[in-house]
Amino acid sequence: MSELRRDLSYAMDAVNPALCLRTLIEGQISKGVSKEVIRNELESLRKGSSDLEEDVILEVLDFLDGWCNSSLHIK
Protein backbone atom coordinates (compact mmCIF):
# COMPACT_ATOMS: atom_id res chain seq x y z
CA MET A 1 0.00 0.00 0.00
CA SER A 2 1.39 3.38 -0.97
CA GLU A 3 1.85 6.12 1.59
CA LEU A 4 -0.78 8.20 -0.23
CA ARG A 5 -3.28 5.34 -0.16
CA ARG A 6 -2.64 4.82 3.56
CA ASP A 7 -3.19 8.53 4.26
CA LEU A 8 -6.39 8.53 2.21
CA SER A 9 -7.64 5.51 4.17
CA TYR A 10 -6.92 7.23 7.49
CA ALA A 11 -8.73 10.36 6.34
CA MET A 12 -11.86 8.28 5.75
CA ASP A 13 -12.09 7.82 9.55
CA ALA A 14 -12.20 11.57 10.26
CA VAL A 15 -15.30 13.33 11.63
CA ASN A 16 -15.72 15.02 8.23
CA PRO A 17 -13.90 12.69 5.82
CA ALA A 18 -14.68 14.66 2.65
CA LEU A 19 -13.07 17.85 3.92
CA CYS A 20 -10.20 15.94 5.51
CA LEU A 21 -9.54 14.20 2.18
CA ARG A 22 -9.76 17.54 0.39
CA THR A 23 -7.13 19.05 2.68
CA LEU A 24 -4.88 16.01 2.30
CA ILE A 25 -5.20 16.11 -1.49
CA GLU A 26 -4.40 19.82 -1.63
CA GLY A 27 -1.24 19.11 0.34
CA GLN A 28 -0.26 16.30 -2.00
CA ILE A 29 -0.81 18.47 -5.07
CA SER A 30 1.34 21.21 -3.54
CA LYS A 31 4.09 18.57 -3.15
CA GLY A 32 3.85 17.78 -6.85
CA VAL A 33 1.63 14.69 -6.86
CA SER A 34 -0.51 14.73 -9.99
CA LYS A 35 -4.28 14.75 -9.93
CA GLU A 36 -4.21 11.58 -12.02
CA VAL A 37 -2.20 9.69 -9.37
CA ILE A 38 -4.58 10.92 -6.68
CA ARG A 39 -7.62 10.02 -8.78
CA ASN A 40 -6.25 6.50 -9.31
CA GLU A 41 -5.64 6.04 -5.59
CA LEU A 42 -9.16 7.24 -4.78
CA GLU A 43 -10.64 4.87 -7.36
CA SER A 44 -8.61 2.03 -5.88
CA LEU A 45 -9.80 2.93 -2.38
CA ARG A 46 -13.36 3.09 -3.68
CA LYS A 47 -13.30 -0.56 -4.82
CA GLY A 48 -13.20 -1.89 -1.27
CA SER A 49 -15.45 0.70 0.32
CA SER A 50 -18.91 0.64 1.87
CA ASP A 51 -21.76 2.59 0.26
CA LEU A 52 -21.25 5.49 2.68
CA GLU A 53 -17.49 5.56 2.03
CA GLU A 54 -18.10 5.41 -1.70
CA ASP A 55 -20.37 8.46 -1.46
CA VAL A 56 -17.56 10.38 0.28
CA ILE A 57 -14.99 9.31 -2.31
CA LEU A 58 -17.27 10.30 -5.17
CA GLU A 59 -17.82 13.69 -3.54
CA VAL A 60 -14.05 14.19 -3.26
CA LEU A 61 -13.59 13.16 -6.88
CA ASP A 62 -16.10 15.90 -7.73
CA PHE A 63 -13.90 18.36 -5.80
CA LEU A 64 -10.93 17.18 -7.84
CA ASP A 65 -12.74 17.45 -11.17
CA GLY A 66 -14.51 20.73 -10.43
CA TRP A 67 -18.06 19.37 -10.23
CA CYS A 68 -18.72 21.31 -7.06
CA ASN A 69 -19.03 24.79 -5.61
CA SER A 70 -16.04 26.79 -6.87
CA SER A 71 -14.83 27.33 -3.30
CA LEU A 72 -14.38 23.56 -2.89
CA HIS A 73 -12.72 22.90 -6.24
CA ILE A 74 -9.20 21.50 -5.83
CA LYS A 75 -6.98 23.27 -8.34
Side-chain angles (χ1 to χ4, degrees):
M1 177 183 300
S2 74
E3 185 177 330
L4 175 58
R5 173 82 185 270
R6 184 198 68 219
D7 292 346
L8 293 170
S9 294
Y10 288 151
M12 290 297 293
D13 293 329
V15 173
N16 189 332
L19 291 180
C20 187
L21 284 166
R22 183 180 178 278
T23 301
L24 173 66
I25 290 167
E26 285 179 321
Q28 292 297 308
I29 289 172
S30 72
K31 291 179 183 177
V33 178
S34 73
K35 285 186 175 184
E36 190 60 33
V37 167
I38 294 168
R39 187 178 289 104
N40 289 339
E41 289 292 346
L42 286 169
E43 287 293 348
S44 179
L45 185 62
R46 182 178 166 209
K47 290 177 184 172
S49 66
S50 68
D51 289 343
L52 182 60
E53 292 170 331
E54 183 178 28
D55 288 344
V56 170
I57 293 168
L58 290 172
E59 181 176 11
V60 172
L61 285 167
D62 286 347
F63 295 165
L64 200 59
D65 294 329
W67 292 102
C68 59
N69 182 301
S70 62
S71 67
L72 294 174
H73 182 206
I74 300 171
K75 298 178 183 177

